[in-house]
Structure formats: C-alpha cells, structure tokens
Amino acid sequence: MSTKPIRVWLAPPGPNPWKVILVLEELQIPYEIVSIKFEDIKAKPFIDLNPNGRVPAIEDPNTGLVLWETGAVILYLVEQYDVVKKLTYGTVQEKSHVQQWLMFQISGQGPYYGQGSWFHVLHSEKLPSAINRYVEEAKRICGVLEQGLTDKRWLVGDKITLADLAFVPWNDRLDVVLMCPAECKFNDFPRVKAWHESMVARPSWEKAMENGMPKQVSNMEEYLAKIKVKKNTRAEAEGS
Ligand SMILES: N[C@@H](CCC(=O)N[C@@H](CS)C(=O)NCC(=O)O)C(=O)O
C-alpha cells in the first residue's frame, strides 16, 4: 500500500519545521506543506491542531495521527516509517544516546538560540545583559557539541541519525545569535563546523530551504537581506 503524503504545517521562515522536513526527505516519505503566516499561528484553524500555537504540526493521513513538538514528530516518523533504522539504532544504548542528544537540542540549543535571536533581532529594547547571556549560552552549547564530536564524525555511532539532523536548522542561524559574519560563526568549533557543513551539503537541506522558506527565497542570507530591505523601506516610509 502506498504512503499518503504527510501534511506539515509551517510558517516560513521559522527554523523548527525544517527539522521535520530534513527527516522526511532523508527517509523519502511523501509530504505536503501547509504554509501559514506567522500572525496566524495562534489562531484557528492551526490551534485546533496545536493548542500551543507553534509550528510545526503534522497530520498523518496514514495513521490519523496529529502531532506537534518537533522532537515527538521526528521520533514518530522514525518509529513509524524508518523500518531499516536509517536514522536511528535498534540497540538500547545507542538509541538512548540518540534520544539524549535530541533532548539536548530541544531543551538547550532550540530555546537558547531562539531567545538569543529574540533579544538581538525582535525585542523592542536592546538589553546588553540579556543579549550577552544568550550569546554565551549559544557558545557553551557549541562547546558541548564540539566535545561530543571528539574523534567522531557523527554524534552517535558511525552514521548520521535524527539527532545530528535536529541541530542543523538552528546552527545554520548561529551567526544571527552570535552577531557575527556567517563565515566566522564556527571559528572556535572546527568539529562542529565540519559536521554542520557535511549536513547542509545533503539534498535534504536543499529541499528544506526550498520548501520551508518564503517563496523566491532559497537561503538565510537572501531572507535576511529581504527583511533588511523591508525594514529600511518601512523606516523610510515612517520617516525615521
Ligand atoms: N519546541 C517547539 C518549538 C516550536 C517553535 O517555537 N516554533 C516557532 C517557529 S520556528 C514558532 O512557532 N514560533 C511562534 C511563536 O513563538 O509564537 C518544537 O520543537 O516544535
């Protein structure tokens, strides 16, 4: 029986949904995107799927499951569709390590980088102490990853897993959090740099950018340039 496409709700260009697209692409699971505007995230119909009003959420017509929270979603996709265990392991020890790194991504990297971007880009006041806290936390998290990649190409065992993929979207935005040029973001973390670059070179990342970005935008640089133009145009129109 053929697999019906999984519906992925996202709001470009938020990075969390890209984690789900990466896993869907790596496992070659058919999917379709429902793209909503950021201002509609806390409104119906989306909150009927996810009362937390955050993207992504998925609807799987093959099983009837509605699911939100990226960690739960990618674990589900692997459990349900990754029969050959391409992105995980069958052994308890290795599977637990995959889960450990995934939890670290969800509770560490995601929130700290997210708050860093918030205080740096979106918050109405510039609060140096808050900005500094998240810059330092982001560096600390990269340090943990650098350590975790000692003598290893992947976080767990000898192959890429869902744990490695989960870190890609936010690491791609590390320069925004650290407020540095994109080419310098991994300067103190050579193993993280090599690991990240090997993953963004995969076709799955290209697809995540193609499907998870606003139309006519294919990468973060283009998106930031577009936002900047928009901001400047608005400022000019408002005479500031
Ligand atoms: N822990 C959630 C985080 C999801 C999340 O924060 N998504 C962002 C977009 S990348 C969002 O929906 N933000 C909307 C908001 O903060 O109101 C997950 O892993 O799914």
Side-chain angles (χ1 to χ4, degrees), residues 14-17 19 38 41-42 53-56 68-71 106 170:
N16 280 292
K19 263 190 258 175
F38 246 96
I41 281 182
K42 298 275 189 286
R54 288 191 169 223
V55 285
W68 42 276
E69 279 296 324
T70 48
I106 297 164
W170 270 119

Side-chain angles (χ1 to χ4, degrees), residues 222-240:
E222 278 178 32
Y223 174 71
L224 289 174
K226 203 174 153 134
I227 292 283
K228 221 175 183 177
V229 170
K230 243 191 185 166
K231 249 188 177 170
N232 291 344
T233 317
R234 207 181 312 136
E236 274 165 27
E238 287 164 1
S240 55

Side-chain angles (χ1 to χ4, degrees), residues 5-202:
I6 292 175
R7 216 162 299 130
V8 183
W9 290 67
L10 54 74
N16 280 292
W18 301 342
K19 263 190 258 175
V20 173
I21 298 182
L22 285 176
V23 169
L24 287 163
E25 284 288 340
E26 290 285 343
L27 295 178
Q28 292 289 292
I29 303 169
Y31 64 96
E32 59 192 23
I33 304 271
V34 184
S35 187
I36 58 173
K37 293 194 180 125
F38 246 96
E39 52 269 34
D40 295 335
I41 281 182
K42 298 275 189 286
K44 276 175 177 285
F46 185 65
I47 52 162
D48 289 335
L49 292 177
N50 180 1
N52 191 32
R54 288 191 169 223
V55 285
I58 63 156
E59 293 175 277
D60 185 346
N62 303 290
T63 59
L65 187 71
V66 172
L67 203 59
W68 42 276
E69 279 296 324
T70 48
V73 172
I74 63 178
L75 285 172
Y76 164 72
L77 292 173
V78 164
E79 178 94 26
Q80 181 74 19
Y81 294 102
D82 188 7
V83 284
V84 296
K85 302 209 173 353
K86 182 179 176 208
L87 296 180
T88 188
Y89 291 96
T91 46
V92 173
Q93 215 168 321
E94 285 164 317
K95 204 169 152 182
S96 300
H97 279 146
V98 168
Q99 288 167 359
Q100 165 201 283
W101 285 109
L102 176 62
M103 306 283 164
F104 175 62
Q105 189 282 316
I106 297 164
S107 64
Q109 189 213 34
Y112 285 117
Y113 285 29
Q115 293 300 313
S117 310
W118 171 268
F119 280 111
H120 174 47
V121 182
L122 297 168
H123 196 61
S124 52
E125 282 174 80
K126 287 286 160 260
L127 300 173
S129 56
I131 292 172
N132 191 48
R133 165 165 169 79
Y134 292 109
V135 165
E136 290 311 313
E137 278 300 315
K139 287 185 188 162
R140 197 184 62 75
I141 280 156
C142 285
V144 175
L145 291 170
E146 187 72 8
Q147 176 77 21
L149 290 165
T150 308
D151 299 326
K152 281 155 71 205
R153 189 162 167 218
W154 306 109
L155 288 173
V156 187
D158 57 2
K159 67 177 186 191
I160 189 168
T161 66
L162 63 93
D164 300 290
L165 291 169
F167 283 94
V168 177
W170 270 119
N171 268 345
D172 205 60
R173 285 192 173 182
L174 182 61
D175 47 322
V176 177
V177 183
L178 298 184
M179 298 173 287
C180 68
E183 62 277 14
C184 301
K185 65 184 172 189
F186 294 125
N187 270 2
D188 297 330
F189 312 103
R191 290 192 284 267
V192 177
K193 182 176 190 319
W195 170 68
H196 179 75
E197 285 174 357
S198 74
M199 289 190 283
V200 293
R202 294 170 81 90

